[in-house]
Amino acid sequence: MARAARSRTPHPDAPQSLPRRLLHTGSDGVRALPAAVRHGYRSRRTPLTATLPGGAPRRPLPAALGLIAITVAGAWLGLLLIGSIRVPVGPMDTSMALRPSLAGGTRIEVAPLGDLELRSHHAPVRLDVAVDRLDPVRSQALVDHPERFAGLQAEVTHDVTHGALGLALHSGIAVVSGATALGLAVYRRPRRALAAGGLALTLLAASAGTAYATWNPESVLEPKFSGLLTSAPSVVGNARSIVSEFHVYQEELARLVTNVTKLYDAASTLPVYQPDPTTIRVLHVSDIHLNPGAWRIIASLVKQYRINVIVDTGDTMDHGSAAENHFLDPASTLGAPYVWVRGNHDSRGTQKYLTGRRHVTVLDHGNVARVAGVRIAGVGDPQFTPDRSVVAAGDPAERTAGGRLADALRTQRLAGTPVDIALAHNPTAVTETDGLAPLALAGHVHHRENTLLPRGTRLMVEGSAGGGGLRAVQNKKPEPVQASVLYLDRGTKRLQAWDEITLGGLGLSRAEVSRHLPHGNQPGATPAPSGSPPSADPSSGHPSGPPPGASPRPARSPSDHPR
């Protein structure tokens, strides 16, 4: 019994064998296991905002600010790494990207010339556009088919709009990816990472809405230049006018010439000649070369000067292709009869398209037409040289064509119906009519010339009414837009005076109008009798003399600088 009553619990100080100690330790670990599991589970269920590492409670505001900072940093990294896209804009390849910015706006990088900054919007994002290169295939297509310039503005607008939509979608993916990736790296919890991505998308949408609400399209009129562009802002302005605001330039230039001619009529300082209501007014234009702005200017001059007949001495087209023909449609709607002869850039297909159109008279082979009371004869250019790949026949071919025109004028004179004006595109051709008509008109050389030929015919060569056309952008300096208004006596059909109108070329906005008198109409001179050719002015090749204060221009050979 004594043995049974003995306690089985060993005394704490009593020695234990090694097996017994191992068994005792294992049983204690098993009993302690559920408590450890519960403790770990509770630690995972404890909110992150409960305590900081030091044991202090975490505040909601700093946590929110931290999330915003992570979101902004991640979105910026996403835009920087994968936020850029390549966008073709017309003949150019560009790169577009959104960048964080306090001032907003748009920056256009034209390497290696510099940057162009526009205050286009106010938002925490800036639009960066980099012009990477000029695509040779699309550029060559414009050179080969210049009629596409008419639709270039719509094409550029479509490309930019399409690129902006693609950039918005791409930027949304970039900011969400960047903020989510950085949030996952910092918090190591998917819920927090997704919250950062959603917040980044919300911030981008709010920035886009702010940019849309503050969009300022007039910012393109006040650009800020940096780099080499600071010394040549007019170059960028010219290109912008041609590509994106060419229609505005056309309208403003037409309005400008109207206002200047009104001022000229009101404050003319040349009272020695005032055209009366019976005077026949002829508008001479030439070498439009597919410039659509020329039609607006011609229509403005017709209305302002009350023009009776328009004379076009050719090169209205550039390549003479069938695709260009619709460019000629406004010729029927200018408000005055339109007389036209073929130039070396106008094909016979071009001539056929114009023949028979309302209010248009096409002259060739020395044919004669009576328009607005004036008898006009003309010959088309015998050469068709739309580009350098066609070898020109040269002056001999022009003189042969001019000879046919001279024969027609002799026939008309023998029949008692003399011609008042002879027309040809090349001055070399129309020079053959010297002595057979009082007035000969031509173009071709893209600058004015006014010469009294040996037998008394006045040769008036007009500059380019299209400023050299759209190809003039290849020149260092834009060509001026030139036209002339000729005043003819209704009874004798003799030239009484003429106004030379000069407008600024592409990107320029100036206008000059100067009046000139033939030698017989100058103060103190004896007028030439009716029916006799005007007397030669011995002073210079410019019979009327320069305007007051200007130096006389030297006479040039009509064959100089063929175009």
Side-chain angles (χ1 to χ4, degrees), residues 4-181:
R6 185 182 303 171
S7 174
R8 296 183 179 181
T9 304
H11 192 272
D13 297 330
Q16 297 181 1
S17 63
L18 180 61
R20 183 179 293 275
R21 288 200 302 272
L22 291 175
L23 180 61
H24 181 72
T25 302
S27 62
D28 289 344
V30 171
R31 287 194 299 270
L33 183 60
V37 172
R38 290 194 301 272
H39 178 73
Y41 175 77
R42 288 167 182 168
S43 66
R44 287 195 299 271
R45 295 284 295 176
T46 302
L48 289 175
T49 57
T51 59
L52 292 173
R58 178 174 294 178
R59 298 178 180 179
L61 181 59
L65 294 178
L67 178 63
I68 294 175
I70 295 298
T71 299
V72 172
W76 181 81
L77 289 175
L79 289 176
L80 188 63
L81 296 177
I82 60 173
S84 178
I85 64 171
R86 298 290 296 274
V87 179
V89 178
M92 299 177 295
D93 289 332
T94 67
S95 299
M96 292 186 179
L98 292 180
R99 295 288 182 259
S101 173
L102 297 179
T106 300
R107 184 177 67 183
I108 303 174
E109 180 183 354
V110 187
L113 299 178
D115 295 339
L116 174 66
E117 296 184 8
L118 308 175
R119 296 179 180 178
S120 56
H121 61 276
H122 299 283
V125 289
R126 184 187 69 229
L127 174 62
D128 284 1
V129 181
V131 179
D132 297 330
R133 69 183 186 117
L134 197 65
D135 184 82
V137 177
R138 299 198 299 274
S139 302
Q140 186 63 39
L142 281 177
V143 174
D144 295 338
H145 304 282
E147 68 275 5
R148 296 183 182 178
F149 274 102
L152 185 59
Q153 178 182 349
E155 179 184 350
V156 170
T157 302
H158 175 269
D159 292 343
V160 171
T161 302
H162 185 267
L165 293 176
L167 179 62
L169 178 61
H170 197 84
S171 299
I173 297 175
V175 298
V176 170
S177 302
T180 302

Side-chain angles (χ1 to χ4, degrees), residues 341-362:
V341 292
R342 186 180 68 249
N344 63 295
H345 282 262
D346 305 316
S347 66
R348 295 187 182 273
T350 301
Q351 178 169 311
K352 183 178 179 180
Y353 184 83
L354 266 179
T355 302
R357 296 189 67 86
R358 295 177 66 246
H359 309 303
V360 176
T361 301
V362 176

